[in-house]
Every structure is written in structure tokens, then in C-alpha cells.
């Protein structure tokens, strides 16, 4: 069986933890056709690299990602650094012939995303972006019901991604709060996940109209005005946007880090001609389902509890609470299968660049107060 040797760049942070567990779990829970070696953990400095490699069980550590991607014995480069550094590392890794997994958002900057897409398309290596939620077993179940016609044609998608970290005065990592390093703010950070899910389940987003809100951390009052936000170069802490999809469906989206009590709640409802599904990440192994074809005296929502009959649900018993690390492993399993079978990774750099274009459309619409056509957004 092929052995795949992985180097993780930025492995001492939040995603370093999730991916380290994901790489360990991936070959245990499914046969991907390869064994995985957690070969090298790279961090910004030697002490951090050494400590993280030991704690997260990597064979070696390094404080120099360039030296690591130049090594002949590394097959996969897994990039979990902040988004502003994704393009440089990913493009160099692809040029060195490595398969590349990069965390979401693909980058903060559309021009960089275009370069990354171009590099991926010119390379024979496999590349994939870390929109992990689309791989959850519940989402695979919804996707099947769309693909086999059970749900019919998508009509309306409404999604929320809400957290309370801003309300509590917490910032997960310093880079998230800084212009440039943190991209737009919540739209690029958590909003990108619901854009990816919408694109995966419903189809391409054609046009967008948006409003965004930013908070002055010193002021315990409402959102800043647009002028104050621009002058202070504040990132968006909240965003609302509506969309038209290319297939005629419509959508609405909300993202905020000022939702007291919301602990990473990602929620959506999708109404289709044949029925409705509802998903809440805080109940990640359940789907609420109503079908138009239900008997007249049995209409309404039922809760489907994921179990061993659902694809990607790997416990032999339902109700085991599949969660974030299961999801980290699922996306890496699919990436490894793509490498072994010589297929493209999904979501691809092109998919994630399209998501970046939607994020940029949200920002431009919030500034212009106009609808923005996603295809017309250029870097
Ligand atoms: N898919 C998800 O659910 C999810 C969740 C959180 C974060 N993310 C994404 O993962 C990425 C990382 O986020 P995080 O929360 O783990 O950030 P983090 O700040 O916790 O970790 C980033 C790590 O990268 C290291 N680093 C920075 N520059 C480096 C360099 N040049 N060389 C080596 N190491 C370097 C830092 O020292 C830090 O340990 C971001 O793109 C973020 O959007 C995804």
C-alpha cells in the first residue's frame, strides 16, 4: 500500500490541532488505499515547532517551510497558516510537485486566489481547500437527496453562521482582527463556509446584495456607520447578504461574531420543490426533513438521526455524536482517495476562488449599496 508522507505548515495553531487528529483518524475509519505518515510539523519558530510536533505526534519538526517543501520524501503539504500566507506557500508547494491541502478561505485576496487556481490547474498534483462542513455525513445525505431527485429543484436557501467571540471580547487569533491578515472579517472567515455549502448544494451564486456591520471595540453601542467603518479600516463583524443563484434559486445569509450564546452555530434551511431540509451544526448528526410526498396525515418535519446506513457515518450505531474531528478526518480521507485514484480534490482551488469572488462581491455591494454580479468581480 502507498505511504503518503505529510508536512503540515502552521501546525501549532487551532487547525494544526484539528488536522493532526484528522490525519491520525483518517486511515483508521476508512480504507483510503494509502497509509499516512505524519512526517514534519512546521511552525514559525523552533520552540513552537518542537513543542507542537511532540504534543501532536509528528515525527519531525522544522521552522522553515521552504526547506521542507524542497524535500523529496514529502508527498503532501497541508497549509494551516493564516490566509495571507496561503498563496505563497501553496504555489511554491505545487511548483515542487507536492499535493496541496490548504485551509479556507483560500486566501484573503482575489488576485492571489486567481494565481493559486492557475497554479493548481497547471499542476498534475491534487489540491483541495478545507471547507470541511461540506464533508459532514449529514451534508452528504442532503447532497444525495438533491442528486437523486428526492428533494426536487432548489428554491430558497437561508443560512446563518453565528458565534459569540466578539460579544465576549475574545479574538481567536491576533491575525483575525487585522486588516490585510484577517481579510474582510467574518464574511471571509465564517461566512465563506456558508457560501461554500450553498454553492455545493444549490449551485453557483450569480449576484449579491449586502450590508455589513463593524464594531468599534471601545464603544459598547450599535454598529459603526459606513463612513466610520471605512475611515477606521474596521473589518466586518457582521454581514447580511441576499443572493440569486444561476439556477433561479434565491438565498439569504447572515454571519456575525456578536451573537451572545451562539457557540459556532452554522444553520441552514433549504426549500426545494420536493421538500425541505434543515441542518444545525450544533446537532450535526441530525437532519430535519419534510417531503411534499409525505402522506397527507403525516406531513411536517421528522428528525432523521444519522446512523450506519448513511455514507460517511462510521460508527456502528447511530447517536454517537459525530463532530468536528470526524469532519476533519472525512475531508482528509477524500483528499487521500483523490491522490490514490488520481482524481481532482473537492472543493478545488477553482471552487474556492469562486467563493472568494462571492466574498468580494459582498464587500463591494456593501460599499456601493448595489447588486453585484459575481462574474463581473475581478481582482
Ligand atoms: N475549516 C475550519 O473549520 C477552520 C476553523 C478555524 C480556522 N480555519 C482556517 O485555518 C487557518 C489557520 O487558522 P487557525 O485558527 O488555526 O490560526 P492559528 O493562528 O491558531 O494558527 C496558525 C499557525 O500558523 C503559524 N504560522 C504563521 N505563519 C507561519 C509560517 N510562515 N510558517 C510556519 N508557521 C506559521 C502560527 O504560528 C500559528 O501557530 C486559517 O486559514 C483559518 O481561516 C479553518
Amino acid at each position: 500500500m502507498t505511504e503518503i508522507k505529510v508536512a503540515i505548515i502552521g501546525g501549532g495553531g487551532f487547525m494544526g490541532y484539528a488536522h493532526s487528529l484528522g490525519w491520525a483518524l483518517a486511515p483508521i475509519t476508512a480504507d483510503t488505499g494509502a497509509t499516512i505518515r505524519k512526517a514534519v510539523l512546521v511552525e514559525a519558530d523552533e520552540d513552537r515547532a518542537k513543542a507542537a510536533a511532540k504534543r501532536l505526534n509528528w515525527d519531525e519538526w522544522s521552522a522553515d517551510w521552504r526547506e521542507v517543501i524542497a524535500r523529496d520524501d514529502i508527498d503532501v503539504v497541508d497549509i494551516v497558516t493564516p490566509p495571507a500566507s496561503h498563496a505563497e506557500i501553496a504555489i511554491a508547494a505545487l511548483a515542487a510537485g507536492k499535493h496541496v491541502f490548504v485551509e479556507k478561505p483560500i486566501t484573503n485576496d482575489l488576485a492571489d486566489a486567481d494565481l493559486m487556481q492557475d497554479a493548481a490547474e497547471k499542476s498534475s498534483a491534487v489540491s483541495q481547500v478545507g471547507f470541511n462542513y461540506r464533508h459532514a455525513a449529514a451534508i452528504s445525505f442532503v447532497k444525495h437527496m438533491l442528486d437523486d431527485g428526492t428533494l426536487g429543484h432548489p428554491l430558497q436557501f437561508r443560512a446563518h453562521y453565528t458565534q459569540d467571540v466578539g460579544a465576549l471580547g475574545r479574538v481567536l487569533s491576533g491575525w483575525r482582527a487585522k486588516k490585510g491578515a484577517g481579510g474582510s472579517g467574518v464574511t471571509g472567515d465564517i461566512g465563506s463556509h456558508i457560501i461554500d455549502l450553498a454553492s455545493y448544494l444549490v449551485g453557483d451564486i450569480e449576484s449579491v446584495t449586502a450590508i455589513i456591520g463593524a464594531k468599534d471595540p471601545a464603544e459598547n453601542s450599535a454598529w459603526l456607520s459606513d463612513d466610520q467603518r471605512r475611515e477606521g479600516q474596521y473589518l466586518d463583524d457582521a454581514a447580511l447578504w441576499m443572493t440569486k443563484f444561476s439556477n433561479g434559486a434565491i438565498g439569504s445569509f447572515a454571519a456575525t461574531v456578536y451573537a451572545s450564546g451562539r457557540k459556532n452555530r452554522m444553520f441552514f434551511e433549504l426549500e426545494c420543490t420536493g421538500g425541505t431540509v434543515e441542518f444545525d451544526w450544533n446537532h450535526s448528526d441530525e437532519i430535519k426533513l419534510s417531503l411534499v410526498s409525505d402522506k397527507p396525515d403525516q406531513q411536517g418535519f421528522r428528525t432523521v438521526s444519522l446512523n450506519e446506513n448513511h455514507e460517511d457515518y462510521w460508527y456502528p450505531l447511530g447517536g454517537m455524536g459525530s463532530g468536528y474531528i470526524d469532519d476533519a478526518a472525512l475531508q482528509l480521507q477524500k483528499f487521500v482517495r483523490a491522490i490514490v485514484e488520481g482524481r481532482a480534490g473537492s472543493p478545488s482551488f477553482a471552487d474556492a476562488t469562486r467563493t472568494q469572488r462571492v466574498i468580494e462581491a459582498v464587500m463591494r455591494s456593501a460599499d456601493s449599496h448595489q447588486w453585484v454580479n459575481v462574474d463581473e468581480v475581478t481582482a
Side-chain angles (χ1 to χ4, degrees):
M1 194 182 285
T2 325
E3 182 182 66
I4 292 184
K5 279 192 161 181
V6 182
I8 190 167
I9 320 292
F14 176 17
M15 279 307 99
Y17 174 84
H19 284 220
S20 295
L21 293 171
W23 282 118
L25 192 58
I28 295 173
T29 43
D31 181 4
T32 57
T35 58
I36 295 184
R37 182 122 215 124
K38 284 163 63 195
V40 192
L41 182 146
V42 186
E43 254 300 331
D45 67 63
E46 293 193 355
D47 288 347
R48 198 170 163 80
K50 203 184 292 184
K54 184 161 186 262
R55 183 167 66 95
L56 300 169
N57 202 23
W58 289 78
D59 293 347
E60 297 173 55
W61 58 269
S62 168
D64 183 350
W65 62 263
R66 287 184 182 79
E67 172 253 317
V68 171
I69 64 171
R71 278 172 54 164
D72 287 340
D73 62 335
I74 296 298
D75 305 299
V76 164
V77 175
D78 179 18
I79 304 166
V80 295
T81 54
S85 55
H86 290 178
E88 186 187 12
I89 305 172
I91 291 169
L94 285 167
K98 311 301 179 193
H99 304 294
V100 175
F101 189 98
V102 63
E103 257 305 337
K104 51 55 63 180
I106 185 166
T107 168
N108 294 326
D109 182 276
L110 192 51
D112 278 350
D114 286 337
L115 291 174
M116 290 170 80
Q117 177 180 342
D118 192 47
E121 284 169 357
K122 286 184 178 141
S123 164
S124 57
V126 176
S127 43
Q128 188 171 316
V129 179
F131 286 113
N132 47 330
Y133 294 112
R134 67 153 71 187
H135 301 289
I139 304 302
S140 298
F141 176 50
V142 174
K143 179 77 172 145
H144 279 307
M145 287 192 290
L146 284 161
D147 289 347
D148 72 11
T150 305
L151 286 171
H153 189 80
L155 295 171
Q156 186 166 351
F157 180 83
R158 292 184 299 281
H160 292 181
Y161 200 143
T162 48
Q163 296 180 335
D164 62 0
V165 285
L168 297 176
R170 285 182 59 206
V171 178
L172 279 181
S173 315
W175 59 265
R176 278 192 171 79
K178 293 189 194 117
K179 196 91 189 167
S184 70
V186 295
T187 308
D189 190 9
I190 53 178
S192 60
H193 281 294
I194 44 181
I195 296 171
D196 177 68
L197 274 182
S199 311
Y200 181 56
L201 295 174
V202 183
D204 273 352
I205 293 174
E206 186 182 85
S207 55
V208 174
T209 184
I211 48 177
I212 61 176
K215 293 276 288 176
D216 178 342
E219 288 277 335
N220 194 15
S221 60
W223 307 109
L224 295 170
S225 69
D226 277 2
D227 285 347
Q228 287 170 309
R229 172 175 60 78
R230 284 194 209 100
E231 274 162 32
Q233 300 240 319
Y234 288 104
L235 300 177
D236 55 310
D237 296 312
L240 293 169
W241 63 101
M242 291 196 297
T243 61
K244 291 179 198 158
F245 291 83
S246 307
N247 59 8
I250 55 177
S252 73
F253 298 73
T256 180
V257 285
Y258 277 88
S260 174
R262 292 296 183 208
K263 303 292 181 189
N264 199 51
R265 181 172 191 247
M266 196 195 58
F267 169 88
F268 71 80
E269 291 176 293
L270 171 59
E271 283 126 22
C272 303
T273 50
T276 297
V277 286
E278 178 188 306
F279 173 72
D280 179 348
W281 173 254
N282 294 150
H283 301 272
S284 61
D285 55 5
E286 288 177 2
I287 284 287
K288 298 264 196 295
L289 174 67
S290 166
L291 293 176
V292 172
S293 58
D294 289 342
K295 287 183 182 166
D297 61 351
Q298 291 177 12
Q299 285 178 359
F301 280 90
R302 75 191 82 132
T303 301
V304 177
S305 299
L306 295 192
N307 59 61
E308 66 283 7
N309 297 299
H310 291 96
E311 185 192 337
D312 294 334
Y313 190 91
W314 47 52
Y315 298 102
L317 192 63
M320 302 310 289
S322 111
Y324 195 65
I325 299 304
D326 299 276
D327 212 18
L330 271 169
Q331 66 174 354
L332 296 174
Q333 264 171 11
K334 292 179 187 177
F335 178 59
V336 170
R337 275 201 200 103
I339 293 171
V340 171
E341 293 165 17
R343 285 187 290 105
S346 177
S348 65
F349 279 20
D351 296 328
T353 297
R354 175 87 192 171
T355 291
Q356 204 59 33
R357 215 169 287 288
V358 177
I359 293 165
E360 192 60 37
V362 169
M363 292 302 122
R364 292 187 193 183
S365 171
D367 274 343
S368 66
H369 300 182
Q370 305 286 323
W371 278 90
V372 172
N373 189 324
V374 176
D375 281 334
E376 287 167 12
V377 175
T378 49

